[in-house]
């Protein structure tokens, strides 16, 4: 029997998917796309988006009608792996939010001051189950994306299309680059946690198309505005692009504030998602694991906030590619194997 607190509509599921994947990858994408394929970044973004579309199609069919709750109750070891992994990933996106908030909005405030409302909001958002989370993310969907779309449209007036032209077609470089960009989209594995609880439709092709257009828009606006060389050396090229965009008539000078708002709210969705799905894993697998899981995740991250901003940040900078490639490999194959094993056992039990 379905748990009503875990049911969402198809529209909510598709909007959750777009927000979580796009928010996680967008700010890193222009630089990462040029990292392995300097002369064909545009093609790399398209190829990575197609990879994401293929994976979403696989998830849509493999997880249809199968709640993650049933799978994790049978494979408890998987719940522990998910909880630990998602806690580490949540700490990474918590670090991103703290960093941007301190740099652009509240430079004089401590990590404890900034972190407390973030964790409180995440807790309140997640306690109503997937249904409440779906409603919240459906409600903020356009609040997050409209400012970004607005900035991207304005940036089109001053693009250097020569910087976006594809200069070479090295198959190995483009493949390596597309895999690296796809690795940025590692929250795509969240889809396994709610596809089985979408009650009136699948992951839609137009949602995938919209995701690809958004990624192409961010890449084109950034590289077309700054150029490839500056995009590669700028620590935050998307923010620099937004700072160079101006509204006609000079009505508003700080359009980068729109992107800061998008980034913080969008990444908060990803951060809260990791805490939510990690705790859901423990709750489904262990009857007494809920309180322990909540305490270690929400309370633990808050207590070690200074460590996250220092030691953990150093580790992430040093091993960033290991981090995203590892997430990609585990996130792609681990849930697929779990769901296929569960379906096989269900089939065997019916024989």
């Amino acid at each position: 029997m379905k748990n009503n607190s875990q049911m969402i509509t198809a529209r909510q599921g598709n909007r959750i998917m777009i927000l979580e994947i796009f928010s996680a990858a967008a700010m890193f994408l222009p630089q990462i796309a040029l990292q392995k394929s300097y002369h064909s970044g545009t093609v790399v973004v398209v190829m990575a988006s197609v990879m994401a579309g293929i994976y979403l199609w696989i998830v849509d069919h493999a997880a249809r009608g199968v709640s993650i709750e049933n799978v994790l109750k049978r494979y408890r070891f998987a719940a522990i792996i998910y909880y630990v992994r998602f806690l580490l990933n949540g700490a990474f996106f918590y670090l991103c939010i703290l960093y941007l908030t301190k740099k652009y909005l509240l430079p004089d405030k401590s990590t404890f001051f900034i972190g407390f409302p973030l964790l409180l909001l995440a807790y309140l958002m997640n306690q109503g189950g997937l249904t409440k989370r779906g409603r919240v993310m459906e409600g903020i969907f356009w609040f997050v994306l409209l400012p970004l779309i607005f900035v991207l449209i304005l940036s089109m007036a001053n693009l250097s299309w020569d910087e976006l032209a594809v200069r070479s077609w090295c198959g190995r470089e483009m493949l390596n680059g597309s895999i690296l960009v796809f690795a940025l989209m590692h929250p795509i594995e969240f889809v396994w946690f709610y596809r089985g609880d979408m009650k009136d439709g699948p992951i839609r092709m137009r949602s995938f198309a919209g995701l690809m257009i958004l990624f192409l828009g961010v890449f084109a606006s950034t590289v077309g505005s700054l150029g490839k060389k500056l995009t590669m050396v700028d620590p935050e090229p998307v923010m620099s692009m937004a700072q160079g965009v101006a509204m006609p008539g000079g009505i508003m000078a700080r359009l980068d504030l729109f992107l800061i708002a998008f980034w913080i709210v969008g990444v908060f969705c990803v951060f809260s998602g990791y805490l939510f799905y990690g705790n859901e894993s423990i709750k489904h697998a262990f009857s007494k694991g809920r309180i322990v899981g909540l305490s270690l995740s929400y309370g633990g991250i808050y207590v070690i906030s200074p460590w996250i901003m220092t030691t953990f940040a150093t580790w992430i900078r040093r091993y960033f590619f290991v981090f995203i490639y590892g997430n990609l490999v585990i996130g792609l194959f681990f849930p697929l194997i779990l769901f296929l094993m569960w379906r096989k056992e269900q089939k065997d039990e019916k024989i």
Side-chain angles (χ1 to χ4, degrees):
M1 185 174 178
K2 291 282 187 180
N3 183 350
N4 289 331
S5 69
Q6 294 295 106
M7 298 299 293
I8 57 173
T9 65
R11 184 170 73 170
Q12 288 170 342
N14 280 269
R15 289 188 173 186
I16 290 173
M17 181 271 293
I18 292 172
L19 269 185
E20 289 175 340
I21 298 174
F22 182 69
S23 299
M27 292 300 170
F28 303 103
L29 182 134
Q31 207 169 55
I32 294 297
L34 297 174
Q35 191 91 29
K36 298 285 187 181
S37 188
Y38 187 79
H39 298 291
S40 53
T42 305
V43 178
V44 161
V45 175
V46 173
M47 289 175 64
S49 299
V50 171
M51 288 179 181
I54 293 171
Y55 187 70
L56 288 170
W57 181 85
I58 294 172
V59 177
D60 187 64
H61 286 74
R64 183 178 300 173
V66 182
S67 174
I68 189 74
E69 179 178 352
N70 296 328
V71 177
L72 293 177
K73 280 180 179 178
R74 176 159 298 192
Y75 307 113
R76 294 189 174 187
F77 73 93
I80 298 173
I81 293 172
Y82 270 125
Y83 181 81
V84 175
R85 277 192 59 237
F86 283 7
L87 189 57
L88 290 173
N89 280 281
F92 168 71
F93 286 102
Y94 182 69
L95 167 66
C96 292
I97 299 172
L98 292 179
Y99 170 76
L100 281 175
T101 304
K102 284 182 71 67
K103 180 173 182 178
Y104 290 101
L105 300 177
L106 301 170
D108 300 325
K109 299 300 182 182
S110 70
T111 54
F112 289 120
F113 180 88
I114 299 169
F116 180 78
L118 285 174
L119 287 161
L120 179 62
L121 286 173
Y123 177 81
L124 294 174
M125 176 179 175
N126 291 339
Q127 285 315 290
L130 183 61
T131 299
K132 182 176 180 181
R133 180 172 173 79
R135 288 171 182 164
V136 171
M137 293 187 68
E138 182 182 25
I140 65 174
F141 181 79
W142 289 113
F143 169 79
V144 173
L145 292 185
L146 279 179
L148 173 74
I149 294 171
F150 180 62
V151 171
L152 294 182
I153 291 173
L154 289 178
S155 72
M156 295 295 174
N158 300 310
L159 295 188
S160 171
W161 297 103
D162 189 57
E163 291 287 342
L164 297 170
V166 177
R167 299 297 182 188
S168 66
W169 292 83
C170 179
R172 178 176 294 181
E173 286 185 1
M174 289 192 294
L175 179 61
N176 290 338
S178 60
I179 292 173
L180 183 57
V181 172
F182 183 39
L184 283 178
M185 308 177 196
H186 56 84
I188 197 171
E189 69 177 302
F190 285 167
V191 181
W192 291 102
F193 282 80
Y194 55 79
R195 174 60 188 99
D197 296 311
M198 290 168 57
K199 60 186 178 183
D200 59 354
I203 298 294
R204 299 191 179 101
M205 184 56 66
R206 67 169 180 260
S207 297
F208 153 70
L211 189 63
M212 181 168 67
I213 291 170
L214 286 170
F215 280 136
L216 282 171
V218 169
F219 179 82
S221 295
T222 304
V223 177
S225 298
L226 303 182
K228 294 176 184 175
K229 291 182 179 179
L230 186 54
T231 299
M232 288 295 293
V233 299
D234 194 313
E236 292 153 19
V238 179
M239 291 296 183
S240 298
M241 175 273 293
Q243 289 172 345
V245 174
M247 287 185 66
I251 299 173
M252 185 179 294
R254 291 293 308 275
L255 286 180
D256 56 310
L257 292 177
F258 280 104
L259 278 191
I260 294 169
F262 149 74
W263 178 240
I264 291 175
V265 177
V267 175
F268 171 79
C269 292
V270 183
F271 161 65
S272 63
Y274 274 115
L275 295 184
F276 174 72
Y277 298 119
N279 280 290
E280 287 293 294
S281 300
I282 290 294
K283 184 180 75 173
H284 294 327
F286 302 96
S287 59
K288 297 182 180 179
R290 182 175 181 272
I291 300 301
V292 176
L294 289 173
S295 301
L296 288 177
S297 55
Y298 293 92
I301 283 182
Y302 182 70
V303 170
I304 65 171
S305 293
W307 178 84
I308 290 174
M309 287 293 289
T310 52
T311 305
F312 185 72
T314 301
W315 290 351
I316 288 295
R317 282 192 293 268
R318 186 175 301 169
Y319 303 110
F320 180 73
F321 292 109
V322 175
F323 173 73
I324 61 172
Y325 277 131
N327 266 310
L328 177 66
V329 173
I330 298 172
L332 285 182
F333 297 109
F334 186 60
L336 179 60
I337 293 170
L338 286 178
F339 273 78
L340 292 178
M341 286 171 55
W342 188 88
R343 284 190 179 278
K344 183 179 183 303
E345 290 187 12
Q346 290 296 302
K347 184 183 290 185
D348 292 343
E349 288 175 2
K350 292 178 181 179
I351 296 176

